[in-house]
Amino acid sequence: MDIVEFLSERISEDEAVARTLLGDRTVSKSGAWYEQRLLLECEAKRRLIRIVESARQAALAAMVSTPDQDVGWIPQSLQWMEQSLNALALPYYDHPDFDQDWFRT
């Protein structure tokens, strides 16, 4: 399982829990606020993953399509993208599918 798939599954799980709790009429106003916030965080994470993935695909395409040009910036950019995704995975460190290598980088 790659990190994008892992993150997508965890975000979907978080979103499902938030929606379930929002449907519970016994949840306090502060609890409802928190659950709404969690839903927004899920959407923000999905958007960030799409942005990073688009940038990663563009960088890889640039490496392939312009091999004779200076693409020295691409490896470092790819490393930053990987570190960004790893940072998003950190809250799920205790999940059985979490790869410890994501934590080390």
Side-chain angles (χ1 to χ4, degrees):
M1 172 179 295
D2 76 352
I3 194 163
V4 172
E5 183 181 5
F6 174 82
L7 284 168
S8 297
E9 288 180 12
R10 301 300 72 78
I11 292 166
S12 292
E13 290 169 0
D14 288 349
E15 186 176 46
V17 169
R19 290 191 186 286
T20 298
L21 290 173
L22 279 170
D24 183 351
R25 297 198 185 277
T26 63
V27 173
S28 68
K29 284 189 177 195
S30 63
W33 175 87
Y34 177 77
E35 299 311 324
Q36 286 289 350
R37 177 69 174 260
L38 181 56
L39 289 173
L40 291 172
E41 286 183 20
C42 289
E43 180 57 26
K45 288 176 184 177
R46 282 191 178 103
R47 288 181 187 192
L48 184 56
I49 291 167
R50 283 193 300 267
I51 291 166
V52 170
E53 277 299 286
S54 292
R56 184 162 57 172
Q57 292 304 316
L60 292 171
M63 283 178 68
V64 171
S65 66
T66 57
D68 56 337
Q69 292 186 355
D70 180 24
V71 291
W73 59 271
I74 292 177
Q76 186 175 17
S77 295
L78 291 171
Q79 183 180 12
W80 292 336
M81 291 174 218
E82 181 181 342
Q83 289 173 350
S84 298
L85 293 173
N86 292 352
L88 286 173
L90 187 57
Y92 306 106
Y93 76 94
D94 59 347
H95 191 278
D97 293 333
F98 184 86
D99 185 335
Q100 290 299 316
D101 288 336
W102 299 335
F103 183 70
R104 292 188 237 298
T105 58

